[in-house]
Amino acid sequence: MDAMELARWQFGITTVYHFLFVPLTIGLVWLVAAFQTAWVRTGNEKWLKLTKFFGKLFLINFAMGLVTGIVQEFQFGMNWSEYSRFVGDVFGAPLAMEALVAFFLESTFLGLWIFGWDRLPKKVHLACIWTVAVGTVLSAYFILAANSWMQNPVGYRIDQATGRAELTDIVAVLTNKVALITVPHTIAGCFLVAGGLVAAVAVWHLVRRPGTDTAAFRSAAKIGAWTTLVAMGAMLLTGDIQGKIMTEVQPMKMAAAEALYESEQPAPFSVFTVGTLDGTRPVWSVEIPGLLSFLGTGSFDGRVEGINDLQAEYEQQYGPGSYKPNIPLTYWTFRLMIGLGGAAALLALWVLWATRRGRTPTSRWLLRALPLLPLLPLVANSTGWIFTEMGRQPWVVFGEMKTAAANSPNVSVGYLATSLAVFTLLYGVLAVIEVKLLLKYARAGLPDVSPPPDENESESDEDRPLAFAY
């Protein structure tokens, strides 16, 4: 591999690894906030137990996501200096907003929430976790706005003297039509993961430890399962809109998602395809007539441009070269994204059926399938992002800068190979730590929320220190 390929592998590994924590963090904090709201409104102790139980899992995951996310921004300057020079003026604005606004809300109010148990008034303490939840979505919004600019550049001009992209309209960047649909689609994916985790942990306790906090875990199982189902419905709805916008701004990506080499009207959607080893043409496939036309245009009789026609068009517009992404990779990641999310929804239906009318699940098959409930949507999220980024190739900024021109020219192969090996090894160790911590505290069961004896009744509320509840 040359330096650019190693840089791409390093960025891909660190990005996908980091994104393993992001969906669970964003989705789970909203469910924790919902549990705490139920406790504040009803006074029922089971909701307080669920808040502290899943709050601990959220904090473990949040810390790991924070550590791995820091590496991402350093890579722009280290391995992609030409890209940073070209887009820094545009790309830096939403990322600065993410740090100054969203991360400030997350870090500040998360600290107040952690240390404010039994010290802050209930409703003020509740407001802290809701502020953290809003902060996570704002963080996702600003980051996705930056990424969407790479998919569909808007609100900028090219300075001919310096060859840099310069920001002219931040509102256009933040209201990019790609961002406006990518954000809800991504957030729905986050709830898909979080709902799956909550349901899986709750059902595990119901099956393995019947009679122990049954009412609380049954409620958590149903809430997690319903969250997964609603999130899957939202993903289908937003994904349908996203497909039409993708066809408009990145038609090659849609063609690659279907491995559609020749333009067709109407265009079928293949559920399964066997192609040649080099991925240049299909050999055999199972197709649904007209479905790709509907996904791309909103009409079952719409025309979808094929890879070969788009390649010829791009050669005339941008010059000689290949403008085709990796067809087998984009084809299968697109289907894995949809299929794995649908499989998680079916498992959520199974959970609802097993817990209907107050029943306690007893199926050992359901117990064996539980790890898949959070893992399937997690992999679906990751394959969705691999499709999004690989389907844009060979562009790093669509229509403006190719990936081959974006890397750092003075970074050696030896440096990249060494840092790639170190990062991969370090992330492997962190993954083991994360999984062990999550499993340890998930198996521990609901915490005791009985108030501790007051050792110093004369101590006033103002003199008591902040309480660390975890």
Side-chain angles (χ1 to χ4, degrees):
M1 293 185 183
D2 59 17
M4 188 194 72
E5 289 299 319
L6 285 171
R8 290 182 67 187
W9 271 103
Q10 186 177 60
F11 194 84
I13 289 171
T14 53
T15 300
V16 171
Y17 185 86
H18 171 62
F19 199 72
L20 293 176
F21 308 105
V22 172
L24 185 56
T25 295
I26 294 176
L28 192 55
V29 67
W30 285 83
L31 294 180
V32 170
F35 291 147
Q36 187 170 349
T37 301
W39 171 61
V40 171
R41 289 178 62 88
T42 67
N44 192 324
E45 198 175 76
K46 74 174 183 180
W47 298 115
L48 178 58
K49 290 182 177 181
L50 290 173
T51 300
K52 292 196 172 185
F53 177 74
F54 286 106
K56 183 175 291 185
L57 301 184
F58 159 70
L59 290 174
I60 293 169
N61 196 74
F62 181 88
M64 197 66 70
L66 180 64
V67 171
T68 58
I70 293 174
V71 179
Q72 297 298 99
E73 296 191 19
F74 283 107
Q75 286 195 67
F76 290 126
M78 291 189 299
N79 297 344
W80 301 98
S81 60
E82 290 300 312
Y83 167 81
S84 298
R85 184 190 66 82
F86 179 71
V87 305
D89 188 64
V90 180
F91 204 73
L95 291 186
M97 292 178 181
E98 190 270 337
L100 294 173
V101 179
F103 187 69
F104 170 79
L105 291 177
E106 292 176 70
S107 57
T108 301
F109 286 92
L110 183 60
L112 290 172
W113 186 74
I114 294 172
F115 292 99
W117 286 98
D118 303 323
R119 187 65 173 83
L120 296 174
K122 278 187 179 180
K123 291 184 179 179
V124 174
H125 188 254
L126 175 62
C128 290
I129 192 64
W130 279 113
T131 305
V132 174
V134 172
T136 62
V137 173
L138 284 175
S139 181
Y141 177 81
F142 289 126
I143 292 172
L144 291 172
N147 180 269
S148 296
W149 186 84
M150 297 164 64
Q151 315 288 338
N152 180 43
V154 294
Y156 74 105
R157 71 179 182 89
I158 301 297
D159 187 319
Q160 298 301 325
T162 62
R164 298 176 69 247
E166 295 186 349
L167 182 65
T168 59
D169 189 350
I170 185 60
V171 175
V173 174
L174 296 178
T175 59
N176 188 339
K177 57 187 172 183
V178 175
L180 292 181
I181 192 57
T182 299
V183 171
H185 188 68
T186 303
I187 298 302
C190 297
F191 279 102
L192 195 70
V193 176
L197 178 75
V198 169
V201 172
V203 173
W204 185 88
H205 280 277
L206 290 174
V207 175
R208 296 293 295 269
R209 297 175 179 175
T212 305
D213 291 307
T214 298
F217 280 124
R218 181 179 288 114
S219 297
K222 290 183 177 181
I223 290 172
W226 276 113
T227 299
T228 301
L229 288 174
V230 172
M232 187 61 200
M235 290 205 72
L236 292 175
L237 178 62
T238 55
D240 175 66
I241 301 172
Q242 194 175 36
K244 293 168 177 56
I245 293 176
M246 181 174 68
T247 303
E248 177 186 347
V249 301
Q250 290 179 303
M252 180 65 85
K253 186 185 291 186
M254 176 56 86
E258 177 52 30
L260 184 72
Y261 285 89
E262 303 299 333
S263 302
E264 293 190 30
Q265 184 181 5
F269 179 86
S270 58
V271 179
F272 184 84
T273 293
V274 176
T276 56
L277 292 177
D278 59 1
T280 57
R281 61 182 178 84
V283 176
W284 176 84
S285 64
V286 178
E287 298 179 339
I288 301 175
L291 183 56
L292 185 67
S293 291
F294 179 79
L295 292 175
T297 67
S299 169
F300 284 99
D301 193 44
R303 176 181 173 84
V304 179
E305 296 296 320
I307 294 171
N308 293 335
D309 290 340
L310 290 168
Q311 169 66 25
E313 177 185 332
Y314 288 168
E315 284 184 356
Q316 290 184 349
Q317 184 175 357
Y318 302 114
S322 174
Y323 297 92
K324 303 175 184 178
N326 186 312
I327 305 302
L329 184 63
T330 51
Y331 179 91
W332 287 112
T333 51
F334 187 68
R335 278 147 187 80
L336 286 171
M337 172 184 64
I338 299 171
L340 296 178
L346 291 176
L347 286 176
L349 279 174
W350 190 0
V351 169
L352 288 175
W353 175 259
T355 56
R356 72 194 186 282
R357 297 177 183 175
R359 287 178 170 84
T360 299
T362 57
S363 172
R364 292 293 170 180
W365 287 106
L366 177 58
L367 185 64
R368 294 187 181 99
L370 287 179
L372 297 176
L373 195 48
L375 290 178
L376 288 176
L378 196 62
V379 177
N381 273 267
S382 296
T383 53
W385 272 111
I386 292 172
F387 164 75
T388 298
E389 298 307 298
M390 292 299 295
R392 188 185 63 237
Q393 301 303 318
W395 301 103
V396 65
V397 178
F398 186 79
E400 291 292 350
M401 187 180 205
K402 291 186 177 181
T403 305
N407 65 312
S408 300
N410 297 322
V411 176
S412 67
V413 172
Y415 165 80
L416 284 165
T418 302
S419 59
L420 175 60
V422 171
F423 276 128
T424 303
L425 180 62
L426 177 61
Y427 279 4
V429 173
L430 290 176
V432 172
I433 295 172
E434 161 90 357
V435 171
K436 284 191 173 183
L437 286 174
L438 286 178
L439 290 177
K440 174 184 176 180
Y441 290 106
R443 290 169 174 166
L446 299 185
D448 181 12
V449 294
S450 303
D454 193 350
E455 297 179 355
N456 188 1
E457 296 182 0
S458 64
E459 186 178 32
S460 66
D461 287 344
E462 288 76 10
D463 294 332
R464 286 192 294 113
L466 293 175
F468 181 69
Y470 298 95

